[in-house]
Amino acid sequence: MNAFDHWALSGAVFIPILGAVLLAFVPKRLEVEIKAVALLTTVVTAGVGVYLLAHFDYDKTHQLQYAVDRSWIDVISSRYHIGLDGISLPMLALSMFISVLCIVYSWDHFPEPHNPKAFLILLLVLETGMNGTFVAQDLILFFVFFELVLLPMYFMIGVWGGPNRQYASIKFFLVTLFGSALMILSFLALYFKVTLPDGSHTFDIVKLASVHGAGIAHGAQLLIFGGLFIGFAIKVPMFPFHTWLPDAHTEAPTVGSVILAAILLKLGTYGFIRIAIPILPEAAKSWAPWIGVLAVIGIIYGALGCLAQRDMKRLIAFSSIAHMGFVMLGISTLTTYGINAAIFGMVAHGLITGMLFFLAGSIQERFHTRELDRLGGLLLQAPRMGWILGFCAMASLGLPGLAGFWGEFPAILSTYSPAVGLNLALFRTFMVIASIGTVLAAGYLLWMLQRVAFGTVKAEFEHEHIHDMHGPEYLAWTPILVLIVLLGVVPGIVFRVTDKPVQKVTVAHVEQRRSVVTGQTAVGQP
Amino acid sequence: MPLELPRVEWATILPETILVVGAMLILLGGALLRRRLPAWVWTVASIIIAAGAMVSAWDLWRRVSHNHQGGAHTAIANAVVVDGFSVYFALLTCGAVILAALMADSYLRRERLNAPEFHVLMLLSASGALLMAAANDLIVIFLGLEVLSIALYVLAGFAQRRAVSREAAMKYFVLGAFSSAIFLYGVALAYGATGSTNLGEIAAFLRASVSTHAVLLGAFAFLIVGLGFKIAAVPFHMWTPDVYQGSPTPVTGFMAAVAKAAGFAALLRIFFSTFGTHRLDWQPLIWALAVLSILVGSVLAVVQTDVKRMLAYSSISHAGYILIGLQAATVRGLAGSLFYLLAYTFMVLGSFGIVTLVARDGDARTGLDAYRGLGQRRPGLALVFTVLLLAQAGVPLTSGFLAKFYVISAAVEAHSYALAIIAMLAAVIAAFFYLRVIVVMYMAGDEADTADADPIRVPFGAGLSLAVSVVATVIIGTILAGPAFDFARHASILRL
């Protein structure tokens, strides 16, 4: 490993925050320079990302690459351990990619009260938090990055948000903090309860995962998993912890909503795949049916919620709850198949829903409203935006050939044969309910499309000049749209990367299956 | 029979001596030269004295931690002890004196108060705190407690022209005297139960006898009540909001940092090391105190509309978190409490420093409304306050997070799961009221009193004090976390 490889991953995490520090010293009035510095920072970060992707060994996706493991706070045995494997890779790439596009998109329309300097500083800090969470291999490091994400988003919603921003931002912060509080307790319990073969205690995720929670009584495992579950489920968000999401999304500025949908929600599901399931496989098995139940409730509830919305952004927010339900359903099967589907679903949802929020923001900017009752005839006034909305609605409802399909369909399919030891009938029931969910998804998305894009222009906007897409929008949206098609046609580019590390996540369950199978043959032999 | 006087090893009580002698010199100088010298001279003198005490404490620290020339030892007929613990508190207290003196400088001129006496009282009070941390005898602890408290009673009423200040002094005095009496009663019971007031002898006695006498239990209870007043733990917190709100703001900061630290020094030394063998008897009491302080402090802070009063309640909840470390009664717990006190000192002094500046002439504008739009008017000040409030809320990358993390990890290690869960959930409640101040600073509309005739000024000394507080809060939470932890852990080495 050469010197650059050694520093590259840390660079990917900390370049944004260095850029933020640099920005702090640029005077406020030099707006163009501020934007240029911010854009350059994210582009350089993405450049490092491209390097990481290019030099990644795709035959060993299950191994941590570019790993750095140095002492950090010795007294609490927390180490600076980062590394990239096939599960982290797509998420890190998504995070860097979306960050660049967000700055491009907001180039010349910063929400009120303007102040691009502060806004971009927050955005860059946010990127450090997100990138860091996806590469951290130490529980405390993970927690620090996980929490670091909270603050910039809180300010973004609270300062640049809609009319009800104070309520939404505080609710977002407190609900998530509540989850984090239980999560860190679970981390501590893992530290003290898990004893490594050499007798030491650790916060290291890799080492903890390698012993599969050995030595912890089943009851304690269940409780520790419960703490992790609440922490991550709030972030996902799963029903019934979702109440912060519609408010936060509705009030957040466009870029805030995009990042929230595209990356922040994934921190929760990523936590399940990276931490909860590999470290406590036994407890995961006991919890899986409950996760599955909440996931399908989320799917149906989110869909029904969508049908009751009058605000476009709120509708997309509820659709996020439904889509993350599919992701969690895939995870709840504890199979390689289901978790691969879940990771694909995370990427696809990030792209598609992020794009929908971009559109909702642009529509609001033009019509100064997001009320579905007042919108209509977008195809007549701004045909390009109208078609893109149609395209994204199709992608979101899971049309084969677009990215959304590969997240949703395999997730449903995986519930047909969940991991050994899980109730087959129950999971097949989930399968049926989730399938109904896809029909509802088609229903609300087409309904939204119909009301926003089709029909005639409402009287109040009839004589208003509505500008179709402009430069920054072309620049920001084209890459996303291309990726949605690309991933839809060649899903293998993601699955190839995720498959091996996911096998490692589910290895505990596979081992169990083997022992069950051999046990049966042993009985059958005599 | 000739009276045998104990040998006095002056070197061991050099920090205390420097503070007391320095205070006397300022008093003398103030009486003779007040008219001729500008007020800042007294501030500088006070800082030099505190820094001198700090240097001598550092010298002791080097000796204690490197264990040459005897390491930790007792002195002056076993009345005081020099170990990592006592020196740690000496350094902490002197640091707090310097920060508070910097903050008080502009305050005293603004309020047109006499300068020298203020510094004299602060130095004397600090010497009491040092004595409490270094005491190896219950009587000496009481002595330190009184020196600390009596100076603080006067300081609380230092703004004589304001009725609230006089009221705060009165309230603090009456309840403080009351708690001192209860503490003394506890000392008497401890003497009755063990036959000595010397901590080493008490510990030796308790190691020999495992059984618990009712008189000893009474001693535990009275000592906890007496010190509970000083650290402002619920249910002995009643005076805190009024006294914190009424006292001159720099005094409030000093009181919140130093009096609490000294109270904890005594509490940790008496209970953790001396009564350590009987921990099963006192742990439930501390548990209840910790839970009540955390919950009551957090919940009542939520409903406050005065920032000074809100910070008073928040300091009550901080006392609860520090008690978690004592409740665990492990080395990790003790180190956690000490680290928490280090982080807390900077956070609380910085926070009250901001309140001092925003309160402006007459120390009156402490309501939440005074902070409306501070983000636009004084962005730097607002940023500093934001960092300090977030640190108090326990957000990562600040010292506050590591402090909470450390004490809670001690609780988990000691299997006090319920306490850990309650503490973490209360932290979420607490986050709400810290955030509310931030919301008001950044997110309120522009109806702020922008055309204010009395703008917020940041004098050099106050600015320096704030800068040190905020920088310490951030670097202890990030790059210096390791050394700071080591510092606290070294200090947890106690000698009986």
Side-chain angles (χ1 to χ4, degrees), chain A residues 73 75-76 140 143-144 147-148 151 154-155 158 166 170 173-174 177-178 181 184-185 188 192-193 203, chain B residues 390 395-397 401 405-406 408-409 412-413 417 420-421 424-425 428 431-432 435 438-439 443 485-486 489:
Chain A
I73 313 176
V75 197
I76 55 171
I140 299 304
F143 184 80
V144 167
E147 290 293 282
L148 183 62
L151 277 171
Y154 163 75
F155 281 109
Q166 295 199 2
I170 285 207
F173 194 91
L174 291 183
L177 198 64
F178 171 78
I184 189 108
L185 283 177
L188 280 169
F192 287 113
K193 293 266 177 185
F203 281 116
Chain B
L390 290 174
V395 170
L397 302 182
F401 165 70
F405 177 84
Y406 211 25
I408 285 171
S409 76
V412 173
E413 189 193 39
Y417 299 116
I421 290 173
M424 286 310 295
L425 295 185
V428 180
F432 174 76
L435 279 183
I438 297 174
V439 165
M443 299 173 194
F485 270 125
D486 284 337
R489 222 163 35 138

Side-chain angles (χ1 to χ4, degrees), chain B residues 284-341:
Chain B
L285 286 176
I286 300 290
W287 192 93
L289 238 56
V291 166
L292 283 174
S293 303
I294 291 170
L295 285 179
V296 172
S298 308
V299 171
L300 289 185
V302 171
V303 296
Q304 303 306 322
T305 52
D306 185 288
V307 173
K308 218 169 156 185
R309 208 174 169 82
M310 184 212 88
L311 287 173
Y313 278 104
S314 103
S315 87
I316 293 173
S317 81
H318 284 305
Y321 285 99
I322 305 171
L323 282 171
I324 293 178
L326 175 59
Q327 197 275 338
T330 56
V331 173
R332 182 187 282 268
L334 180 61
S337 291
L338 291 174
F339 184 81
Y340 203 114
L341 280 167

Side-chain angles (χ1 to χ4, degrees), chain A residues 218 222 225 277 280-293 328-339 411 414-430 506 508-510 512-513 516:
Chain A
H218 192 65
L222 288 183
F225 195 95
I277 292 173
L280 293 169
E282 265 181 60
K285 191 152 277 182
S286 308
W287 271 87
W290 300 102
I291 298 177
V293 167
M328 287 312 298
L329 188 63
I331 292 176
S332 74
T333 64
L334 300 179
T335 56
T336 313
Y337 197 74
I339 294 179
S414 69
T415 49
Y416 186 77
S417 51
V420 177
L422 294 176
N423 187 331
L424 209 57
L426 181 70
F427 273 84
R428 289 189 182 163
T429 315
F430 292 163
T506 55
H509 302 288
V510 176
Q512 223 168 6
R513 177 188 308 215
V516 170

